[in-house]
């Protein structure tokens, strides 16, 4: 069975020079994939020609006359650029002509346009951004929300947990993935008011067998791999993710500097290059590219804006897998089952917006 | 001039076996320091004897009959163990017999007992925990709050910024240290409601020349060293710090594993050991040990519970420097100057508790 993915080829820092080679490489590795390239058709054709891929039976081009830039405010992307490659690519998902969409465009615009075009799923108050971080168990830690929702109520975090659980279950083939609630300590009494009330909701779900709630986890548990999923609000998630990226860059630069310091250390680097390469591969952010925008009436995946072709291909692969494993249908079913309980008006001290 | 520091010798995972050698080492490197060792006197004497330091002109022992363990709930530390080494060490600061106190005891208990014994400074609503992280400019990034206050209002974050500024100014000799407000983006309109309102307060201070507010910073700026100080609430600070520690451990373990994989990579490690050592030194958490509990009527420094003697000595040094550079007096003066403005009842949408 063929799975169709629409690609916003103009999005990101590099546009077609990255998205087209990534698309071609993915096509050749995945015989079930069909890709719809969306963007300025002349640019797309020129790039395809460069790669001697003017025509391919599983590749089509859809012209879109506008481009959402990385600096465009959300309002421009939403109200002015109605024929942007980003929007047209998302509309293909809405119209059932693609099963998932990939874009490296700016996150705020992508989320806003996706919400406007696709709408939010019934039972979900706010879509969330979910991505993967490497952990010491050599597996992925799924973390959400990573920045879509900076002010959250307990029922939002509760919904994130449900969506994360469905995503991991489908993508990783784990029947009852473990959910950790990011907190300042592991005890139930720890945390701010929102997190404490969220813990209560998740414990109730756990007790009736609906979710596999591990309990509170701390910042270091993200990289320990204590749980499959780490749930937090978008403020905490965004800051933590960027801090980790910043530390990662610092570490990489420092290691390079120290090994280049003199002939002896350079020799060490040459002899130990196998170790250094394997080390750096474990933390290679390219392998973790492709964040899900969860909770929409359609699958949208966000690539890092600065992704290269190798990294962008990972984002396409994730979108393809999500479509293949029916993430959207499983989400709908799980949400229909669990959502009537939320928002919970009985959580004390918390006002629901 | 002699500066007296009281040391809770029983606190932390290792107690006197770490605190005593650290104290002795610090004494010999700092001729102006006088240390008061607080704890179970027999244990302290036995440990001193081991180091052939039964008597020292700048060292005294003060017996305290109880010990706050790492697992003791705050209530036990506060209400039951009134003769704990932690409490007695803090009381020395209150009574003017020591100018600062150091403890590796559990953070919650240390903060609670410190607040109870010393009280909060006039003009400060809540004390905060401030610590140092390494950055790519080879300098320290001071970050607060790291966990004392998980639910914050704008005026709390505002006070943290003022306290951080005074601390950095005194400790680093920087006249107008730069303050960054941790956020999900650099633009003024970014962030949750509390952070946006805090930005407004800090911009006002900046405009009238009271503080050097850089603006919003993101997670990666902590390690870039964009600003001298990074301000956030205790939830975000605690999670970010622990996530960074977790990633640091992951990196260290992965590097060790890869270099031990086979004889060739091991040879690379031996030849490149200078580089690996320098690399690991840059991230050595021992060098950053010693968090300040800011906003109390007295100086209290918290060492990591698992600190070794080398690391604990850094915490003593930081406490000594804070006393030497009159952090407490400078804090009082700055807060008296800036605090009458807060809490600001005109910040819309925010209720002050």
């Amino acid at each position: 069975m063929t799975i169709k993915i629409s690609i916003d080829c103009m999005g990101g820092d590099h546009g077609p020079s990255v998205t087209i080679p990534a698309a071609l490489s993915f096509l050749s590795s995945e015989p079930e994939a069909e890709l719809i390239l969306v963007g300025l058709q002349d640019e797309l054709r020129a790039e395809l020609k460069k790669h001697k891929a003017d025509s391919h039976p599983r590749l089509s081009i859809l012209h879109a006359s506008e481009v959402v830039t990385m600096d465009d405010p959300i309002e421009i992307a939403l109200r002015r650029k109605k024929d942007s490659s980003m929007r047209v690519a998302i509309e293909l998902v809405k119209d059932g002509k693609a099963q998932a969409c990939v874009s490296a465009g700016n996150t705020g615009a992508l989320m806003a346009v996706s919400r406007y075009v696709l709408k939010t799923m019934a039972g979900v108050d706010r879509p969330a951004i979910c991505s993967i971080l490497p952990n010491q168990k050599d597996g992925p830690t799924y973390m959400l929300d990573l920045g879509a929702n900076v002010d959250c109520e307990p029922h939002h975090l509760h919904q994130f947990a449900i969506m994360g659980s469905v995503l991991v279950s489908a993508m990783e083939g784990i029947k009852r993935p473990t959910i950790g609630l990011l907190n300042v300590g592991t005890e139930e009494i720890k945390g701010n008011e929102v997190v404490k009330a969220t813990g209560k909701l998740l414990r109730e779900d756990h007790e009736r067998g609906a979710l596999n709630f591990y309990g509170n986890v701390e910042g270091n548990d993200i990289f320990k791999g204590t749980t499959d999923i780490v749930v937090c609000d978008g403020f905490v998630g965004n800051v933590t993710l960027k801090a980790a990226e910043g530390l990662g860059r610092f570490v990489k630069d420092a290691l390079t500097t120290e090994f280049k310091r003199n002939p002896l250390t350079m020799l060490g680097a040459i002899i130990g290059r196998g170790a250094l390469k394997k080390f750096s591969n474990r933390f290679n952010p390219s392998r973790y590219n492709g964040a899900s925008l969860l909770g929409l009436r359609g699958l949208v995946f966000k690539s890092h804006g600065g992704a290269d072709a190798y990294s962008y291909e990972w984002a396409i692969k994730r979108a393809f897998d999500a479509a293949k494993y029916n993430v959207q249908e499983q989400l709908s079913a799980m949400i229909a089952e669990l959502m009537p309980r939320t928002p919970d008006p009985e959580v004390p001290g918390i006002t629901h917006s």
Side-chain angles (χ1 to χ4, degrees), chain A:
Chain A
M1 200 194 75
T2 304
I3 289 167
K4 287 185 190 170
I5 309 292
S6 63
I7 296 181
D8 164 16
C9 288
M10 311 306 293
D13 299 340
H14 311 298
S17 68
V18 155
T19 55
I20 299 274
L24 292 171
S25 170
F26 183 71
L27 265 190
S28 63
S29 72
E30 184 45 76
E32 287 182 357
E34 192 175 323
L35 302 182
I36 308 170
L37 308 178
V38 185
L40 300 167
Q41 58 186 359
D42 294 347
E43 285 195 30
L44 303 190
R45 289 228 170 84
E47 188 67 33
L48 282 170
K49 209 167 180 180
K50 265 193 213 166
H51 297 275
K52 301 191 174 72
D54 303 52
S55 73
H56 187 293
R58 291 182 282 119
L59 196 69
S60 58
I61 289 178
L62 182 59
H63 179 64
S65 63
E66 290 170 307
V67 176
V68 173
T69 69
M70 294 308 269
D71 302 320
D72 270 343
I74 289 174
E75 290 67 33
I76 299 290
L78 206 55
R79 310 204 194 285
R80 298 274 178 80
K81 298 187 171 174
K82 297 193 176 173
D83 196 40
S84 72
S85 56
M86 178 189 282
R87 179 147 170 182
V88 173
I90 297 168
E91 278 168 348
L92 287 171
V93 175
K94 187 196 167 208
D95 299 340
K97 290 175 184 160
Q99 282 137 285
C101 163
V102 181
S103 174
N106 90 61
T107 312
L110 184 63
M111 181 55 102
V113 174
S114 298
R115 283 181 79 157
Y116 180 79
V117 171
L118 294 172
K119 312 298 178 210
T120 304
M121 290 179 76
V124 173
D125 288 276
R126 296 185 190 169
I129 301 171
C130 183
S131 197
I132 290 174
L133 290 162
N135 68 42
Q136 288 197 276
K137 291 181 178 166
D138 264 337
T141 300
Y142 282 70
M143 187 165 166
L144 77 168
D145 174 36
L146 295 177
N149 308 282
V150 292
D151 283 297
C152 287
E153 306 286 341
H155 67 280
H156 298 134
L157 295 178
H158 180 220
Q159 291 171 11
F160 301 165
I162 295 168
M163 296 195 290
S165 181
V166 173
L167 184 70
V168 173
S169 177
M171 299 286 272
E172 306 291 331
I174 300 171
K175 207 167 180 189
R176 287 173 54 76
T178 49
I179 299 164
L181 179 61
L182 194 56
N183 204 338
V184 297
T186 53
E187 306 89 335
E188 281 184 20
I189 54 148
K190 284 287 178 86
N192 58 29
E193 292 309 316
V194 171
V195 167
K196 279 190 269 187
T198 306
K200 190 171 169 281
L201 294 173
L202 290 170
R203 276 192 299 278
E204 285 168 16
D205 279 343
H206 183 82
E207 278 156 21
R208 62 204 181 89
L211 288 177
N212 191 2
F213 180 48
Y214 171 89
N216 291 331
V217 293
E218 300 186 78
N220 52 336
D221 289 304
I222 300 166
F223 299 103
K224 266 193 198 165
T226 306
T227 56
D228 299 311
I229 301 147
V230 171
V231 173
C232 58
D233 72 45
F235 192 97
V236 173
N238 184 283
V239 164
T240 306
L241 182 71
K242 286 183 185 156
E245 284 172 357
L247 180 56
R249 183 172 306 267
F250 185 8
V251 164
K252 197 180 166 190
D253 291 353
L255 201 57
T256 307
T257 305
E258 295 308 338
F259 271 109
K260 280 188 177 163
R261 204 174 275 279
N262 61 51
L264 189 65
T265 56
M266 282 168 81
L267 181 64
I270 292 166
I271 293 170
R273 66 183 176 279
L276 285 168
K277 201 175 169 190
K278 276 196 179 157
F279 167 77
S280 125
N281 265 346
R282 278 187 80 171
F283 298 95
N284 185 355
S286 297
R287 286 174 54 203
Y288 306 99
N289 192 31
S292 328
L293 273 53
L294 283 176
L296 299 161
R297 298 188 189 197
L299 292 171
V300 179
F301 279 75
K302 153 82 183 137
S303 159
H304 204 287
D308 59 14
Y310 171 77
S311 175
Y312 196 85
E313 193 181 338
W314 272 100
I316 303 176
K317 178 169 167 43
R318 248 178 263 287
F320 177 86
D321 285 349
K324 184 175 171 182
Y325 298 134
N326 297 314
V327 164
Q328 199 63 17
E329 291 69 21
Q330 294 189 47
L331 267 176
S332 300
M334 183 86 158
I335 284 164
E337 185 195 331
L338 290 180
M339 283 305 174
R341 294 180 50 254
T342 59
D344 183 347
E346 285 173 33
V347 176
I350 304 292
T351 53
H352 291 137
S353 58

